[in-house]
């Protein structure tokens, strides 16, 4: 009996060591599997698209565009109480998708003065984020345009975005219809510095170096916006017809050596006929003086703006 005890002890130790070895082998196999699964999962997550509410910065570029494409800011000067006009223009510009460009349309007005504005405009900003409120008293020809252009460098220049933030800045009226694809197409061959673009005034003139561009919608390169901020010339000459005064700034400052007359792709609505009007035609960039719904609808129908409406059982539009 006593001679069998050492033999039993050896068998117990051997069995224990075998079991321990088996557990270690099993753990190693599971660790390899876990690591493989972890790497596979990490790879899958890194390649998965980010959700729309991700904190990662979302591009504002139009479809089929890149960071090297034309960047245009259009500031539509309007009034705080023009809620219906802004909503209407959001339909007009929100359904246009110019290819190869980033075109941002913003509504621009001076400080809010009414309690209802503080609520309603704030809701607009929360929903659409397309409003710029300038630090000024509302006016048309007493410096609002100067405040708009001179404020942009401070508002938009930033180390975490491209420079310039926009190649071009355009001032537009809220009774002007802009066709963004045609605008972009006309800008492609033009310089991105020291540029002044628009509809030459007086109406019969075709020389962009004689007078100035109509307030219906004129555009300058970003460096001119920075010059307006820094120069004493605009600061000392604020009052008067804003488009005329703007042209005088450039003349007195010897700026805008590159000028482009977009006439007759930009023009006033054909009725009533004047020396500034033109019939609607396919090469249009801008139509001005759309003062009522009838003129807007006539213009929009001519350019077939609803042609991309998709068929659906949800509606019937003959």
């Amino acid at each position: 009996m006593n001679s069998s005890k050492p033999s039993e002890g050896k068998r117990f130790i051997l069995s224990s060591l075998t079991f321990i070895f088996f557990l270690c082998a099993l753990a190693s196999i599971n660790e390899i599997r876990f690591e493989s699964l972890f790497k596979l999962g990490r790879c899958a997550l890194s390649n998965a698209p980010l959700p729309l509410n991700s904190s990662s910065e979302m591009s504002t570029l139009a479809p089929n565009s890149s960071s090297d494409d034309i960047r245009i800011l259009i500031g539509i000067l309007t009034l705080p109480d023009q809620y219906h006009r802004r909503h209407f223009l959001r339909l007009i510009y929100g359904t246009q998708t110019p290819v190869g460009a980033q075109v941002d349309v913003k509504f621009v007005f001076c400080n809010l003065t009414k309690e209802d504005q503080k609520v309603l405009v704030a809701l607009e900003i929360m929903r659409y984020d397309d409003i710029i409120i300038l630090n000024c008293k509302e006016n048309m020809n007493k410096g609002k345009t100067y405040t708009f252009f001179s404020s942009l460098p401070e508002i938009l220049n930033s180390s975490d975005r491209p420079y310039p933030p926009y190649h071009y800045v355009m001032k537009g009226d809220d009774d002007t219809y802009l066709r963004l694809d045609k605008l972009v197409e006309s800008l492609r061959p033009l310089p991105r510095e020291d540029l002044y673009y628009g509809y030459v005034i007086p109406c019969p003139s075709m020389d962009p170096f004689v007078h100035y561009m109509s307030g219906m919608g004129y555009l300058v390169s970003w460096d001119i916006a920075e010059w307006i901020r820094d120069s004493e010339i605009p600061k000392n000459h604020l009052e008067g017809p804003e488009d005329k005064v703007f042209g005088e700034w450039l003349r007195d400052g010897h700026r805008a050596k590159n000028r482009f007359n977009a006439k007759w792709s930009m023009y006033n609505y054909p009725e009533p006929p004047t020396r500034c009007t033109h019939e609607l035609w396919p090469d249009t960039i801008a139509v001005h003086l759309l003062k009522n719904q009838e003129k807007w609808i006539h213009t929009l129908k001519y350019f077939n703006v609803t042609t991309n409406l998709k068929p659906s059982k949800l509606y019937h539009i003959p």
Side-chain angles (χ1 to χ4, degrees), residues 191-294:
R192 295 186 180 181
E193 292 184 353
D194 211 22
L195 177 70
Y196 184 31
Y197 170 112
Y199 173 99
V200 173
I201 295 293
C203 295
S205 174
M206 297 299 288
D207 186 348
F209 290 92
V210 174
H211 294 287
Y212 59 94
M213 306 295 185
S214 165
M216 73 166 75
Y218 53 83
L219 173 148
V220 294
S221 50
W222 181 258
D223 58 303
I224 290 183
E226 292 187 323
W227 174 79
I228 293 172
R229 174 196 61 184
D230 298 333
S231 174
E232 293 298 317
I233 293 173
K235 294 176 186 176
N236 295 326
H237 182 19
L238 297 180
E239 295 194 14
E242 59 89 15
D243 48 3
K244 182 174 184 289
V245 168
F246 193 96
E248 291 170 350
W249 296 343
L250 301 181
R251 179 199 65 199
D252 296 344
H254 305 288
R255 302 293 303 193
K257 294 181 178 61
N258 301 306
R259 301 193 178 200
F260 184 82
N261 176 23
K263 193 183 293 180
W264 288 96
S265 290
M266 301 176 74
Y267 50 87
N268 287 349
Y269 185 81
E271 297 293 337
T274 69
R275 300 178 78 182
C276 299
T277 60
H278 191 282
E279 292 300 315
L280 301 175
W281 68 308
D283 286 337
T284 296
I285 293 173
V287 184
H288 185 221
L289 295 182
L290 300 177
K291 296 294 187 181
N292 57 48
Q293 190 83 339
E294 181 182 358

Side-chain angles (χ1 to χ4, degrees), residues 4 22 42-43 53 61 79 96 99 113 122 151 177 190 201-202 214 223 250 262 264 280 283 305-306 311:
S4 65
F22 172 76
R42 183 169 56 187
C43 178
N53 61 352
L61 296 178
L79 300 172
Q96 298 187 52
V99 176
T113 57
S151 300
Y177 171 55
L190 300 184
I201 295 293
S214 165
D223 58 303
L250 301 181
W264 288 96
L280 301 175
D283 286 337
V305 297
T306 61

